[in-house]
Amino acid sequence: MVVGLLLRAWPRGLAFGPGALSRLLSTGFDPGQYLQLSIVPTMHYQDSLPRLPIPKLEDTIRRYLSAQKPLLDDGQFRKTEQLCKSFENGIGKELHKQLVAQDKQNKHTSYISGPWFDMYLTARDPIVLNFNPFMSFNPDPKSEYNDQLTRATNMTVSAVRFLKTLRADLLEPEVFHLNPAKSDTDTFKRLIRFVPSSLSWYGAYLVNAYPLDMSQYFRLFNSTRLPKPSRDELFTDDKARHLLVLRKGHFYVFDVLDQDGNIVSASEIQAHLKYILSDSSLAPEFPLSYLTSENRDIWAELRQKLVSGGNEETLRKVDSAVFCLCLDDFPIKDLVHLSHNMLHGDGTNRWFDKSFNLIIAKDGTAAIHFEHAWGDGVAVLRFFNEVFKDSTQAPAITPRSQPANTDSSVAVQKLNFKLNDALKTGISAAKEKFDATMKTLTIDYIQFQRGGKEFLKKQKLSPDSVAQLAFQMALLQQYGQTVATYESCSTAAFKHGRTETIRPASIFTKRCSEAFVREPSKHSAGELQHMIAKCSTHHNQLTKEAAMGETGFGEHALRSCCPRHWGQGFDRHLFALRYLGAAKGIDLPELYLDPAYRQINHNILSTSTLSSPAVNIGGFAPVVPDGFGIAYAVHDNWIGCNVSAYQGRNAHEFLQCVEKALEGMFDALEGKAIKS
């Protein structure tokens, strides 16, 4: 039936030439240069991806007010409700009409893509802590492969294999399969590759498969965020063939691709990295990397001084490098040390502006630290997963492999920067600010071992909703408040989609949290179970509206809704209307001047979840000074939570409250009495 529908879907009489794989096979290429050889071209679905819908204004206002309800008292809510009505019937209506018209004229992209790039690139705050997150890899299952040189070589080769596979159109398209038995098969792939790109998404949709936007992937490599006055720029030079390596604050480059575009032999890469690791030079007195942690306008001014001081070509080598490999000279002590090191380190051995830094510690602990303006977690996680799989299952070298007999002193170039007094002063000032800021950041981590996804699904509950409910209870327990809460979810199911916000704090979570925290003995286990279930149902609905299922494209919502109902959060819509009004010189509407609007966008609880067999732990800093940055994952039989906070908030105490909340909910779900 599916085959028949597809055959009827595309125009008759079209001739199809050989794909990238056929062309490469005919030229006698080396398959070892690639991660995979997809018969479906990487960007096959891109042209036919659905467009991100602009919600109806009345729906956005309704959802916005629903999110405000638990945060405001009755008087505040009535005032906000009135401002919303005025906006909906006045300037908001006109702005929405203009936004829809503008969107119709720009069908190649999404209504949020341009404003979202501007939001990131015009921000003047330092990108370290304020924007850049990290994800750390699990150790290689074969312990001897966690030697720093071995792992650095294998991960570098796997990363460059990914680059080559992507650019050759041989990387499997990113697809969310709801029924993999039908869609993730050779039979389907052999069929769908012949469906024109303008129709291919519909072919996948017929078998319950959902291709995701891959427009960000090209920025993974050879890319850097360049500081400029007022607005930064994203720079990419896909012709460059060299790797940037940082060690002890020194910069080194060497080619990882030869002139024909082939990967340099793994034994040569191993030899060059061994040469760098053997460099006994002391750390530089003025480590240049600190400048990438500065305020963006200050860094832009200092960068111009670097350029005019004779460093333009050297900076070009940094900016255009395939990626940045950071080799740290110490082992990781524990998960808290890991988080601090991969999120910010000591500032000397990272280039925070690169699209990503691959960090490998002395004991082989590895992580990706990435700049956020160019892309989101979907692209980075795909790269992360592929590199982990390839480097552990098909490693380029073994611990017993010998480096090539090559003269690395010729192949490896150590970069030297000419620094005048103004630049030295700038580096010293940046270091001082960096050190002072990092001293204020605390991080702590828990593993809740009593249960996870399996237990919660048996209770017919959304695991994500239970984790979010625990955060609400913890904040109420610790500070007696219900506050603005942000949960990130992806809209990559749409062309040029970015992210949308789920607002987990609701009247249901507030009621449930108060019952558990303030009066548990007044409610039976059955009543508490019913409250948890209501929170779960509401959270599922919010998630369906915002994206497509549980964060990370969970199944339950995809099964029960269709694409026209996705992408219906309110945050990005209100942001786009505000952005459009500012671009047209319109005075800021009263809705945006409302203290309630400022409060709901002051996200004290900023949360994000991901799960992958390759991920050990991830993390990011709070988005506001008095907030928490909460990275979490609900695994089959346990829940992990990594929390950051600045002075004035206590990450350790917050996690103790999270653990108590989870214990209370699990007690209630098991029918036990709740302790006060």
Side-chain angles (χ1 to χ4, degrees), residues 3 14 55 69 71 129 152 194 265 271 285 295 421 427 436 518 596:
V3 173
L14 287 176
K69 190 80 174 169
L71 308 179
L129 296 193
F194 288 116
S265 74
E285 186 181 358
N295 168 282
D421 288 344
I427 291 169
R518 291 181 173 158

Side-chain angles (χ1 to χ4, degrees), residues 515-566:
F516 270 87
V517 172
R518 291 181 173 158
E519 45 187 23
S521 59
K522 291 186 181 177
H523 300 277
S524 68
E527 288 171 336
L528 294 172
Q529 288 170 12
H530 182 65
M531 288 185 197
I532 296 170
K534 273 196 161 183
C535 292
S536 177
T537 301
H538 183 69
H539 189 78
N540 283 349
Q541 183 60 35
L542 291 177
T543 310
K544 287 177 195 177
E545 290 171 351
M548 47 181 301
E550 277 192 15
T551 313
F553 312 110
E555 293 186 17
H556 70 280
L558 272 171
R559 292 191 187 280
S560 57
C561 64
C562 60
R564 68 176 179 273
H565 294 138
W566 301 339

Side-chain angles (χ1 to χ4, degrees), residues 261-537:
N262 296 313
I263 303 174
V264 170
S265 74
S267 60
E268 282 186 61
I269 292 172
Q270 181 187 13
H272 299 336
L273 293 177
K274 185 177 181 181
Y275 172 79
I276 291 168
L277 285 167
S278 69
D279 186 350
S280 59
S281 303
L282 296 174
E285 186 181 358
F286 297 97
L288 195 72
S289 297
Y290 279 120
L291 295 182
T292 63
S293 72
E294 256 290 10
N295 168 282
R296 302 306 290 178
D297 282 336
I298 293 173
W299 173 204
E301 186 180 337
L302 289 167
R303 183 186 165 94
Q304 192 50 51
K305 285 184 168 64
L306 271 169
V307 169
S308 59
N311 297 292
E312 187 168 10
E313 282 306 308
T314 314
L315 279 171
R316 174 84 184 199
K317 286 178 180 171
V318 172
D319 299 334
S320 63
V322 172
F323 63 89
C324 180
L325 172 66
C326 308
L327 299 174
D328 286 349
D329 265 14
F330 48 83
I332 297 300
K333 299 170 192 169
D334 52 37
L335 288 174
V336 172
H337 180 222
L338 185 154
S339 293
H340 277 293
N341 190 54
M342 304 311 185
L343 184 59
H344 56 81
D346 68 0
T348 65
N349 213 44
R350 311 282 182 265
W351 196 255
F352 294 116
D353 289 354
K354 283 300 280 182
S355 55
F356 71 89
N357 289 252
L358 172 58
I359 305 164
I360 302 183
K362 188 73 172 173
D363 60 358
T365 302
I368 295 283
H369 173 111
F370 68 98
E371 196 279 316
H372 224 324
W374 67 268
D376 302 308
V378 172
V380 178
L381 186 60
R382 172 69 186 278
F383 169 69
F384 186 99
N385 286 337
E386 297 287 4
V387 167
F388 181 78
K389 181 180 177 183
D390 188 64
S391 65
T392 55
Q393 295 182 11
I397 66 166
T398 74
R400 291 166 296 285
S401 297
Q402 291 301 308
N405 186 14
T406 184
D407 189 354
S408 294
S409 66
V410 174
V412 177
Q413 181 189 1
K414 191 172 184 178
L415 302 183
N416 292 303
F417 295 90
K418 300 165 187 170
L419 304 178
N420 60 25
D421 288 344
L423 286 165
K424 289 177 181 177
T425 300
I427 291 169
S428 297
K431 177 187 185 325
E432 196 174 320
K433 289 181 206 171
F434 181 92
D435 290 346
T437 302
M438 299 315 144
K439 282 176 186 171
T440 68
L441 184 74
T442 61
I443 298 177
D444 206 357
Y445 178 80
I446 59 162
Q447 289 183 345
F448 179 77
Q449 300 284 0
R450 190 166 157 186
K453 204 178 291 182
E454 286 181 6
F455 172 77
L456 295 169
K457 284 189 172 180
K458 281 178 186 171
Q459 311 296 316
K460 297 186 168 61
L461 295 171
S462 154
D464 190 61
S465 74
V466 172
Q468 287 289 341
L469 184 52
F471 305 148
Q472 296 298 315
M473 290 183 190
L475 205 286
L476 186 67
Q477 174 86 50
Q478 194 178 11
Y479 296 103
Q481 295 175 295
T482 296
V483 297
T485 308
Y486 178 108
E487 180 180 0
S488 174
C489 67
S490 174
T491 51
F494 302 96
K495 185 178 290 186
H496 293 189
R498 294 291 309 238
T499 60
E500 183 52 272
T501 307
I502 301 167
R503 291 291 181 173
S506 67
I507 55 172
F508 303 102
T509 62
K510 187 173 186 178
R511 198 173 297 143
C512 187
S513 297
E514 287 176 346
F516 270 87
V517 172
R518 291 181 173 158
E519 45 187 23
S521 59
K522 291 186 181 177
H523 300 277
S524 68
E527 288 171 336
L528 294 172
Q529 288 170 12
H530 182 65
M531 288 185 197
I532 296 170
K534 273 196 161 183
C535 292
S536 177
T537 301

Side-chain angles (χ1 to χ4, degrees), residues 576-598:
L577 294 174
R578 179 177 181 167
Y579 178 91
L580 180 63
K584 293 187 174 293
I586 296 169
D587 288 342
L588 193 62
E590 279 191 90
L591 171 69
Y592 299 105
L593 295 169
D594 183 9
Y597 181 81
R598 287 198 300 276

Side-chain angles (χ1 to χ4, degrees), residues 79-255:
K79 181 190 172 191
T80 295
E81 196 173 32
Q82 189 56 52
L83 289 172
C84 283
K85 283 179 184 173
S86 299
F87 181 78
E88 184 182 345
N89 297 319
I91 186 62
K93 187 175 184 179
E94 181 56 34
L95 286 172
H96 178 77
K97 184 179 172 184
Q98 291 179 29
L99 183 66
V100 170
Q102 181 178 282
D103 187 52
K104 284 179 180 174
Q105 292 173 349
N106 291 278
K107 292 186 176 177
H108 64 286
T109 188
S110 70
Y111 78 91
I112 198 60
S113 182
W116 210 240
F117 273 119
D118 265 2
M119 182 273 294
Y120 275 117
L121 295 173
T122 58
R124 301 292 84 193
D125 291 327
I127 58 175
V128 63
L129 296 193
N130 290 303
F131 296 103
N132 295 14
F134 82 91
M135 294 186 286
S136 72
F137 292 92
N138 274 318
D140 192 304
K142 304 180 292 295
S143 59
E144 66 273 21
Y145 280 76
N146 290 304
D147 165 76
Q148 186 180 31
L149 177 59
T150 303
R151 199 167 202 202
T153 304
N154 284 329
M155 286 193 149
T156 297
V157 172
S158 293
V160 183
R161 279 179 184 158
F162 184 100
L163 175 155
K164 286 207 64 176
T165 310
L166 173 67
R167 290 182 180 168
D169 225 13
L170 295 174
L171 188 71
E172 291 273 357
E174 185 73 4
V175 178
F176 182 75
H177 298 278
L178 267 181
N179 189 355
K182 278 189 177 180
S183 59
D184 198 12
T185 64
D186 288 342
T187 301
F188 177 74
K189 289 172 186 176
R190 281 196 293 269
L191 175 65
I192 198 69
R193 67 176 171 159
F194 288 116
V195 178
S197 290
S198 58
L199 296 170
S200 54
W201 182 89
Y202 300 95
Y205 177 63
L206 287 172
V207 291
N208 237 359
Y210 298 87
L212 305 183
D213 180 81
M214 297 183 75
S215 62
Q216 299 172 1
Y217 279 55
F218 81 100
R219 292 276 191 202
L220 270 165
F221 301 105
N222 302 101
S223 297
T224 300
R225 175 175 174 162
L226 300 181
K228 300 285 181 179
S230 302
R231 186 186 191 275
D232 291 355
E233 293 175 6
L234 296 176
F235 167 85
T236 301
D237 177 5
D238 60 12
K239 299 291 187 289
R241 298 181 282 115
H242 61 279
L243 176 71
L244 172 66
V245 182
L246 294 187
R247 179 171 172 263
K248 294 203 303 194
H250 296 289
F251 293 67
Y252 310 82
V253 293
F254 64 84
D255 285 351

